Amino acid sequence: MAPHCSRRSLLLAGTTLLAGMPAFAAEAYPSKTVKLIVGFPPGGPTDIIGRVIAQSLAKHLNGSVIIENRGGAGGLIGANYVAKSKPDGYNLLLAVESSQTRGAALNSSSIQYDQLKDFTYIRKVAKQRNLILVNPSLPVKSVKELIEYAKANPGKLNRGGTFGATSHIGGTLFDALNGTQMTFVNYAGGAQPITDLMAGILQVGYFTEATVASYVKSGGLRALAIAGPDRSPAFPDLPTVVESGGKPMDLAPWFGVAGPAGLPQEIVQKVGAALDKMVQEPEFLAHLETLGALPIKGTTPEAYSKEVGDEIIYSNKRAKEQSAPLVL
């Protein structure tokens, strides 16, 4: 009887240990370096804000968080990597619209994941202001003048950015709202389109405030307006697009954190709690302000997931309304 009881005791002990393992693993998380995957090359607006988020997230997780750039296809390559990763919390995604909501509408033949079902959405954390910019040699000093010039020269103005990103969508929206026709030049990402805008290869751009502020202040680029409803504290004299003579438009790219589908609830809660602390932290808020960004507070996984689902429906609907596969 003793050996039988001993085996039974061992089995019970083993079962108890196994049952406790997920909770133990979550409690120990992170026990190694967490990678925050950025689906764009280094140096661009998404990479810059990703590094600020990684630094603050590491602090509040009491662990190490590093950026890993997997650029290409408007963020789809990085998102696909996370979607196919083990759901253990060590591969997280800096989620953006181009990969999570517009991806299927813009790249229906090449997207390799379900934008909603293949991810665990944890928190939205920030959004940025965008500027409408021109090369200083272009003879326009307001949005109204840009519209008039573009209408007089259809197709002759080049605007550049990354397909699916706000730099692309912004120009598409501007053309649709204001009856202009500019030529889009696609880039893999990073800072090259901004460099080409300063060089005159491009004439018009729609870029985040953070990536172009120094060039605007130095005179390398001319900012015409804030592509949103409110002025920026960094450029208090810069009008909104409406004030400058254009139709209302609000380009406010958002940034969030997501993981693969099936991420354990304990890890979702732990990462979420760290992000909640982050968006309240004065140091993080100061960093955001230098990037022309605003915090998004009070989100939940459920609300974030619903917002993504709603945006997917909207993007697909607008894509079907276009003669070309473009989303506004």
Side-chain angles (χ1 to χ4, degrees):
M1 293 292 293
H4 175 73
C5 291
S6 177
R7 286 196 299 272
R8 183 180 180 187
S9 297
L10 286 171
L11 286 170
L12 287 171
T15 302
T16 302
L17 178 62
L18 287 171
M21 280 181 69
F24 175 79
E27 185 178 336
Y29 175 86
S31 61
K32 60 181 182 180
T33 298
V34 175
K35 292 189 293 184
L36 183 62
I37 306 300
V38 174
F40 295 85
T46 307
D47 176 69
I48 292 171
I49 201 165
R51 293 178 187 277
V52 173
I53 291 171
Q55 181 181 354
S56 295
L57 180 59
K59 174 182 175 181
H60 293 293
L61 278 178
N62 296 313
S64 174
V65 181
I66 64 170
I67 291 293
E68 183 173 302
N69 296 93
R70 289 181 173 266
L76 268 64
I77 292 174
N80 185 62
Y81 177 81
V82 173
K84 303 298 191 291
S85 296
K86 182 179 178 180
D88 57 6
Y90 291 101
N91 283 299
L92 300 177
L93 177 68
L94 183 65
V96 296
E97 297 119 306
S98 62
S99 61
Q100 305 310 118
T101 64
R102 301 171 184 153
L106 291 166
N107 300 278
S108 59
S109 62
S110 59
I111 192 167
Q112 299 176 22
Y113 55 84
D114 187 294
Q115 296 171 122
L116 195 57
K117 296 178 181 178
D118 287 342
F119 296 92
T120 300
Y121 289 97
I122 302 174
R123 293 289 192 278
K124 271 187 181 179
V125 295
K127 60 182 179 179
Q128 282 189 306
R129 287 181 287 263
N130 271 58
L131 307 185
I132 300 177
L133 306 123
V134 296
N135 181 281
S137 66
L138 198 69
V140 301
K141 293 186 177 180
S142 69
V143 170
K144 181 181 178 181
E145 291 180 2
L146 175 61
I147 294 169
E148 292 172 350
Y149 188 93
K151 285 183 176 180
N153 298 275
K156 294 182 180 180
L157 293 180
N158 293 333
R159 58 180 177 88
T162 302
F163 188 76
T166 308
S167 54
H168 164 224
I169 300 301
T172 303
L173 179 58
F174 185 92
D175 281 350
L177 290 174
N178 297 288
T180 54
Q181 182 185 344
M182 302 182 210
T183 299
F184 175 68
V185 180
N186 187 41
Y187 292 78
Q192 191 59 48
I194 297 171
T195 300
D196 284 357
L197 180 58
M198 289 191 291
I201 297 170
L202 304 174
Q203 290 76 47
V204 184
Y206 305 79
F207 299 110
T208 56
E209 183 181 296
T211 55
V212 298
S214 62
Y215 306 122
V216 172
K217 291 176 180 178
S218 69
L221 292 173
R222 178 184 296 148
L224 300 184
I226 298 286
D230 303 304
R231 294 195 178 196
S232 165
F235 295 97
D237 296 328
L238 189 64
T240 66
V241 65
V242 172
E243 292 172 335
S244 191
K247 297 291 186 181
M249 62 186 295
D250 187 2
L251 294 180
W254 54 257
F255 304 87
V257 176
L263 200 61
Q265 187 61 30
E266 295 86 353
I267 293 177
V268 173
Q269 291 174 350
K270 197 161 192 176
V271 174
L275 293 171
D276 288 341
K277 291 178 182 176
M278 181 185 76
V279 297
Q280 300 288 343
E281 181 185 45
E283 184 179 357
F284 177 73
L285 298 179
H287 274 303
L288 286 189
E289 186 57 42
T290 66
L291 299 176
L294 303 168
I296 298 176
K297 301 178 182 180
T299 64
T300 64
E302 295 77 18
Y304 186 9
S305 183
K306 183 180 184 303
E307 288 172 7
V308 168
D310 290 344
E311 284 190 35
I312 290 170
I313 294 170
Y314 176 77
S315 295
N316 291 339
K317 180 176 182 293
R318 293 307 301 267
K320 291 177 181 178
E321 293 172 354
Q322 303 299 309
S323 58
L326 300 177
V327 185
L328 303 186

